[in-house]
């Protein structure tokens, strides 16, 4: 009896041994394992079921919190960053990108090795070794080039061999993507990209998980795990940008009355799924102007009244695609089929066989090479507020300001400015180079005016040349801009000195003239004294008289010379 119990126990252990030894993909990547009903998806193209066995000998599995994670990478922990271009329209492709972030001072070189950056200090200082992981040398030592070892360690966790793409030996990381009960394996470097078609994905938010392993001799070591949520939708992801001239802040959805608003529709379609589709845009601006239908993604609209309005946009895309497989013909026609499916063909279809009314669409869908149209819709709604604002600003006059004391390196110019719309509260000026690119700091001043928008702005210019002047008037809701080019003439720095010298010369000449006139008047009214018979005195007097006679000949009229007794020659003088 004892031997029977031992035999039964051995059978039980033998039966349990495969269950304990075999680990499957959903056991390794089951942190977000969906319920059983969510696992019943159609096959994703290129993906495999997570019911397959996982090779734990080559790819060990560590739970969260395992102490071995601390030594999985030399110099610290590696972080994996997972992103996607979600949301994705059902039927389109969604792309996932994983980037590895290494510890400080580490990077991947052109050969796929992990090296230390030059002149970079981490917590331990400068590293004396150039390599963190020299996988090129490991490949040579471990007979990486020998294809006889391919079946042993050049395989994925499910046993499939690595693809021999160009440069595959430089790819030292294994990435395992897992979602919706299926997985995808990829060999790569520090960054990989994977695309997945969403035709068989359930609409709504889903979870993508990624496990990353690195080479370690003839085995692999886990270094990072990451997960992220992506969204698959049956509605076209639509975004609308709204811009308007003179609008101060377009993000607050407050715009100005009387100026057109430009609406630009952006469809999120990174995989270009809708490139072959016919897209129509239906606008309702909420101001009783009716419904606008256009095939252009941009639309202009002007609100002529103040208030709050509801904007509604419907985007319709007609997507060509294969018709679904025909279902058994029902005993009676189904009206809904004729509404949801519309068949078309590049060649005229054959005449269907006679039958009950309503069966023609079903028969057309069974014709080989026939396509169907699938309608997809996207929606956008917004509340817009319309207010008064500054509509236009103009510079109508520019005038040089005359300064009492001209400065050779500075000029003042007055700008006369007018505007339309509301009265501004602030004026700002930016002076820049002739290309209006290199600008000085703006100069802003408050505006105090009555109901008429007319003001004079005075600005100083340093030096001669051509300047670009940007002048803005603003209030709480609007900001109007105008620009002009102005030429400031040069001033000669020596002109002021020449003016001063000329003034001094004029004053000197005037002083000399006054002195001579005073001397002549003095001589005319001086008391007459007889001349003594002294030869020396006669000679001296004669010399003085000759000098004065010549001076008067210059400044006095000729007829006055006969009346002056001093001009008569004394006796004995020729």
């Amino acid at each position: 009896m004892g031997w029977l119990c031992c035999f039964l126990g051995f059978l039980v252990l033998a039966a349990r041994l495969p269950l304990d030894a075999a680990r499957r993909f959903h056991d390794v990547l089951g942190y977000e394992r969906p319920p059983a009903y969510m696992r019943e998806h159609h096959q994703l193209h290129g993906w495999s079921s997570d019911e397959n066995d996982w090779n734990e000998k080559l790819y060990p599995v560590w739970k969260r919190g395992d102490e071995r994670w601390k030594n999985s990478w030399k110099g610290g922990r590696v972080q994996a960053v997972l992103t996607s271009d979600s949301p994705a329209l059902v039927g389109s492709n969604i792309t996932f990108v994983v980037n590895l972030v290494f510890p400080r001072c580490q990077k991947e070189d052109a050969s796929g090795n992990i090296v230390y950056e030059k002149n970079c200090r981490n917590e331990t200082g400068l590293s004396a070794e150039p390599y963190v992981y020299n996988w090129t040398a490991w490949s040579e030592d471990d007979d990486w080039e020998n294809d006889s070892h391919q079946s042993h360690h050049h395989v994925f966790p499910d046993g499939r061999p690595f693809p021999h793409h160009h440069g595959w030996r430089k790819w030292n990381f294994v990435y395992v993507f897992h979602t919706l009960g299926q997985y995808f394996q990829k060999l790569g470097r520090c960054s990989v990209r994977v695309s997945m078609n969403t035709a068989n994905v359930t609409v709504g938010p889903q979870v993508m998980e990624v496990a990353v392993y690195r080479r370690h001799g003839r085995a692999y070591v886990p270094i990072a795990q990451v997960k992220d949520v992506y969204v698959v939708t049956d509605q076209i992801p639509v975004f609308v940008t709204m811009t308007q001239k003179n609008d101060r802040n377009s993000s607050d959805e407050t715009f100005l009355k009387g100026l057109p608003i430009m609406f630009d529709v952006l469809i999120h379609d990174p995989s270009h799924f809708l490139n072959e589709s016919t897209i129509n845009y239906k606008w309702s601006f909420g101001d009783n102007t009716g419904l606008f239908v256009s095939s252009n993604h941009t639309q202009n609209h002007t609100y002529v009244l103040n208030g709050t309005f509801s904007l509604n946009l419907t985007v319709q895309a007609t997507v060509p695609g294969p018709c679904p497989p025909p279902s058994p013909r029902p005993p009676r026609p189904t009206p809904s089929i004729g509404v949801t499916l519309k068949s078309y063909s590049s060649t005229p279809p054959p005449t269907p066989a006679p039958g009950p009314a309503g069966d023609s669409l079903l028969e057309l869908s069974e014709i080989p090479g026939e396509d169907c149209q699938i309608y997809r819709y996207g929606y956008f709604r917004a509340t817009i507020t319309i207010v008064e604002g500054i509509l236009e600003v103009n510079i109508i006059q520019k005038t040089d300001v005359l300064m009492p004391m001209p400065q050779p390196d500075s000029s003042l110019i007055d700008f006369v400015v007018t505007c339309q719309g509301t009265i501004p509260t602030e004026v700002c000026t930016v002076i820049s180079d002739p290309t209006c690119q290199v600008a000085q700091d703006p100069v802003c001043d408050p505006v105090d005016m009555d109901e008429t928008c007319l003001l004079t702005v005075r600005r100083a210019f340093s030096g001669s040349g051509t300047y670009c002047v940007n002048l803005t008037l603003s209030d709480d809701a609007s900001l109007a801009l105008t620009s002009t080019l102005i030429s400031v003439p040069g001033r000669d720095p020596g002109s002021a000195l020449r003016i001063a010298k000329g003034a001094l010369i004029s004053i000197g000449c005037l002083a000399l003239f006054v002195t001579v006139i005073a001397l002549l008047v003095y001589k005319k009214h001086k008391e007459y004294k007889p001349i003594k018979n002294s030869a020396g005195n006669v000679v001296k007097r004669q010399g003085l008289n000759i000098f004065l006679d010549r001076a008067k000949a210059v400044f006095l009229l000729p007829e006055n010379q006969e009346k002056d007794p001093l001009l008569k020659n004394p006796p004995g003088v020729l």
Side-chain angles (χ1 to χ4, degrees):
M1 190 68 181
W3 66 269
L4 182 58
C5 292
C6 293
F7 179 74
L8 292 176
F10 177 78
L11 292 178
V12 172
L13 291 175
R16 293 189 57 185
L17 184 59
L19 297 177
D20 294 338
R23 189 182 290 268
R24 300 182 179 181
F25 272 77
H26 63 70
D27 298 325
V28 178
L29 302 170
Y31 300 105
E32 295 291 340
R33 184 178 179 182
Y37 74 92
M38 292 186 61
R39 294 169 50 80
E40 296 178 359
H41 291 274
H42 295 288
Q43 179 69 35
L44 300 176
H45 179 69
W47 292 58
S48 304
S49 172
D50 63 3
E51 296 293 336
N52 292 342
D53 292 341
W54 176 283
N55 188 343
E56 192 172 2
K57 182 178 180 181
L58 281 180
Y59 295 87
V61 178
W62 299 343
K63 294 182 179 180
R64 295 182 184 273
D66 195 309
E67 290 295 325
R68 289 175 291 182
W69 282 107
K70 297 180 181 180
N71 299 320
S72 63
W73 189 270
K74 187 186 300 183
R77 288 292 302 272
V78 175
Q79 293 183 349
V81 179
L82 172 62
T83 58
S84 71
D85 54 11
S86 167
L89 182 63
V90 62
S92 67
N93 289 340
I94 184 171
T95 299
F96 301 90
V97 177
V98 180
N99 291 305
L100 298 182
V101 181
F102 301 116
R104 177 176 170 78
C105 299
Q106 298 182 13
K107 67 177 183 178
E108 185 181 48
D109 67 5
S111 299
N113 300 312
I114 308 301
V115 298
Y116 289 102
E117 296 182 6
K118 294 182 180 180
N119 302 324
C120 180
R121 291 181 176 271
N122 54 18
E123 298 177 355
T124 60
L126 291 174
S127 176
E129 299 181 0
Y131 290 97
V132 182
Y133 293 105
N134 188 356
W135 283 311
T136 301
W138 291 4
S139 300
E140 297 173 355
D141 295 341
D142 294 342
D143 295 329
W144 180 270
E145 306 291 339
N146 191 344
D147 290 338
S148 62
H149 297 274
Q150 177 73 19
S151 60
H152 297 289
H153 59 276
H154 297 169
V155 295
F156 286 111
D158 62 357
R160 297 179 185 178
F162 291 160
H164 286 191
H165 300 300
H166 175 70
W168 69 277
R169 293 184 177 87
K170 300 179 182 180
W171 300 349
N172 299 293
F173 298 98
V174 176
Y175 300 82
V176 183
F177 293 78
H178 179 252
T179 187
L180 302 173
Q182 301 174 60
Y183 69 90
F184 183 85
Q185 305 166 123
K186 188 175 182 66
L187 184 68
R189 301 184 61 168
C190 63
S191 179
V192 295
R193 180 185 301 264
V194 170
S195 294
M196 179 184 73
N197 186 267
T198 61
N200 295 328
V201 177
T202 304
V203 171
Q206 309 293 347
V207 176
M208 174 65 74
E209 301 174 89
V210 182
V212 186
Y213 283 74
R214 68 167 175 87
R215 283 184 52 198
H216 182 70
R218 296 190 177 183
Y220 299 86
V221 174
I223 59 173
Q225 289 181 335
V226 65
K227 60 184 177 181
D228 193 21
V229 175
Y230 64 97
V231 177
V232 177
T233 176
D234 58 356
Q235 293 187 2
I236 303 173
V238 175
F239 308 90
V240 178
T241 62
M242 296 174 282
T243 57
Q244 183 188 45
K245 177 185 176 182
N246 297 353
D247 181 37
R248 188 159 192 167
N249 182 13
S250 59
S251 62
D252 60 0
E253 297 184 349
T254 298
F255 298 94
L256 310 180
K257 183 185 76 172
L259 290 178
I261 305 173
M262 174 175 284
F263 301 89
D264 191 359
V265 183
L266 304 176
I267 295 178
H268 181 72
D269 184 29
S271 66
H272 310 293
F273 176 66
L274 300 176
N275 274 12
E276 303 299 326
S277 303
T278 301
I279 302 178
N280 291 317
Y281 306 87
K282 301 178 182 179
W283 297 89
S284 174
F285 297 100
D287 56 353
N288 296 324
T289 55
L291 183 67
F292 297 86
V293 180
S294 172
S295 59
N296 196 333
H297 63 91
T298 61
Q299 180 73 29
N300 291 336
H301 186 74
T302 302
Y303 287 90
V304 297
L305 296 175
N306 293 342
T308 302
F309 303 92
S310 296
L311 171 69
N312 288 277
L313 168 66
T314 300
V315 179
Q316 175 185 289
T318 305
V319 184
C323 292
S327 57
R329 179 175 300 177
R332 298 182 61 86
T334 305
S336 61
I337 297 180
V339 176
T340 57
L341 294 179
K342 179 181 179 181
S343 300
Y344 68 93
S345 177
S346 57
T347 58
T351 305
D359 288 354
S360 59
L361 287 178
L362 289 176
E363 293 179 3
L364 287 175
S365 65
E366 298 174 357
I367 299 174
E370 187 104 349
D371 287 334
C372 288
Q373 291 179 344
I374 303 174
Y375 295 95
R376 297 295 183 190
Y377 298 89
Y379 306 94
F380 177 83
R381 294 176 177 83
T383 301
I384 295 178
T385 302
I386 303 299
V387 298
E388 300 281 351
I390 305 171
L391 304 181
E392 188 177 357
V393 57
N394 293 294
I395 298 175
I396 62 174
Q397 186 177 350
K398 294 171 285 187
T399 307
D400 290 336
V401 179
L402 299 179
M403 295 180 288
M405 295 296 295
Q407 301 294 327
D409 59 347
S410 180
S411 299
L412 291 179
I413 297 180
D414 283 345
F415 299 89
V416 180
V417 182
T418 62
C419 65
Q420 298 179 10
T422 58
I423 301 300
T425 59
E426 186 181 51
V427 56
C428 293
T429 307
V430 177
I431 300 175
S432 57
D433 67 327
T435 64
C436 299
Q437 299 296 324
V438 182
Q440 302 176 6
D441 293 334
V443 178
C444 298
D445 299 303
V447 174
D448 185 12
M449 63 177 66
D450 53 13
E451 297 180 357
T452 303
C453 184
L454 179 66
L455 72 155
T456 300
V457 181
R458 176 170 295 180
R459 289 295 179 257
F461 296 84
S462 299
S464 61
T466 302
Y467 296 89
C468 175
V469 180
N470 292 324
L471 193 145
T472 59
L473 300 179
S474 61
D475 59 10
D476 293 339
S478 58
L479 187 148
L481 167 69
T482 186
S483 300
T484 185
L485 287 175
I486 188 168
S487 180
V488 177
R491 296 179 181 271
D492 188 355
S495 60
L497 181 59
R498 288 197 298 269
I499 293 175
K501 288 182 178 180
L504 292 177
I505 293 174
S506 300
I507 294 174
C509 292
L510 181 61
L512 178 61
F513 178 76
V514 172
T515 301
V516 173
I517 295 300
L519 182 60
L520 292 178
V521 172
Y522 172 75
K523 288 293 294 180
K524 182 176 181 181
H525 296 282
K526 183 179 179 181
E527 182 181 358
Y528 177 77
K529 293 182 180 181
I531 301 176
K532 297 181 180 180
N533 294 328
S534 173
N537 290 338
V538 171
V539 175
K540 293 179 180 179
R541 169 73 67 177
Q542 184 178 11
L544 178 61
N545 288 341
I546 293 173
F547 172 77
L548 294 177
D549 182 65
R550 293 177 178 175
K552 288 189 289 182
V554 176
F555 295 103
L556 300 180
L557 297 175
E559 57 269 20
N560 292 334
Q561 296 178 1
E562 301 297 332
K563 298 180 181 180
D564 193 339
L566 296 178
L567 294 177
K568 297 178 180 180
N569 291 333
V573 178
L574 297 178

